[in-house]
Amino acid sequence: MKAPSVLAVMAHPDDAELWAGGTLALHAQCGATVTIAVPAHDPVRDAEAAAGAAILGAQLCILPTMTGDAVADLLAELRPEVVITHPDRDVHPDHRRACLAVLEVLPMAVITTGHPQRLYTCESYNGLTLDGATLGHTIIDIGATFAQKMRALAVHRSQPITEHFGPMAETLARLHGGRIGTAYGEAFTPIPVLGRLPSAAFL
């Protein structure tokens, strides 16, 4: 079965790798079109984003700004079956803004194009939001793509990957993998799309 197309709308160049890299790589391996959208930062971080996306098998879209209009244009162009973004109560304000940009335009996108069909939020720092622990209703087995995820994360050399984000990514992956009886996993929380929740073999 071919995996559904995925758009990850993230706040920073390393977010897709950190929170959803194994899942994005898995979808790409299964024939899906995978796109990572992040706002423009600086030449170094933008180049790191391109390198990380390439390792995951994803295409990169650098938005001029993280606004509802920019996300709406991207949804209209790509018509992804699945969108992944940050929790709306993430501890990082940039993450919250990215989520709100998606939620702002989602109803009209679905009404006019029928896409996306499913929306998920990803993990946060050590699994915590402003409201407590993330729910993680949906856990994807990323045992086959964990090494790929970590290679993609490692190209973000301008960030504290070795001393901070890398160990956190492995800890979370082991935690979620243990919850489904595998070595590594990534957790997501489905968000209703016009009152409907997903039922699917993939995200």
Side-chain angles (χ1 to χ4, degrees):
M1 177 178 14
K2 182 179 178 181
S5 57
V6 181
L7 169 63
V9 179
M10 300 293 177
H12 306 109
D14 55 348
D15 282 334
E17 292 87 338
L18 181 56
W19 310 121
T23 299
L24 296 176
L26 184 64
H27 277 65
Q29 285 183 9
C30 292
T33 299
V34 176
T35 305
I36 297 169
V38 295
H41 280 69
D42 57 63
V44 170
R45 295 209 70 188
D46 292 350
E48 290 173 346
I55 291 172
L56 297 178
Q59 58 190 24
L60 177 68
C61 179
I62 295 182
L63 304 175
T65 56
M66 181 57 73
T67 63
D69 287 344
V71 174
D73 290 343
L74 197 58
L75 290 175
E77 176 188 351
L78 299 178
R79 300 192 178 191
E81 294 167 83
V82 174
V83 169
I84 301 170
T85 192
H86 300 281
D88 66 340
R89 294 289 289 165
D90 198 286
V91 296
H92 199 303
D94 290 348
H95 293 185
R96 296 196 299 271
R97 281 190 284 270
C99 179
L100 292 176
V102 172
L103 294 178
E104 175 188 341
V105 300
L106 184 74
M108 187 54 65
V110 174
I111 289 170
T112 56
T113 71
H115 293 80
Q117 292 152 7
R118 298 184 291 284
L119 171 66
Y120 295 88
T121 58
C122 59
E123 260 294 7
S124 185
Y125 299 104
N126 288 322
L128 296 173
T129 71
L130 293 173
D131 296 327
T134 51
L135 298 176
H137 291 298
T138 302
I139 299 177
I140 301 297
D141 178 359
I142 62 163
T145 55
F146 176 75
Q148 191 176 352
K149 165 193 174 83
M150 298 304 284
R151 286 198 308 273
L153 186 60
V155 304
H156 294 271
R157 296 183 181 88
S158 67
Q159 304 304 298
I161 302 301
T162 301
E163 63 272 32
H164 184 63
F165 293 142
M168 181 174 64
E170 181 165 359
T171 296
L172 287 170
R174 288 185 182 277
L175 170 67
H176 295 307
R179 288 174 169 169
I180 57 172
T182 64
Y184 300 105
E186 284 176 339
F188 302 89
T189 299
I191 302 299
V193 176
L194 291 180
R196 294 178 181 171
L197 286 170
S199 175
F202 291 93
L203 277 188

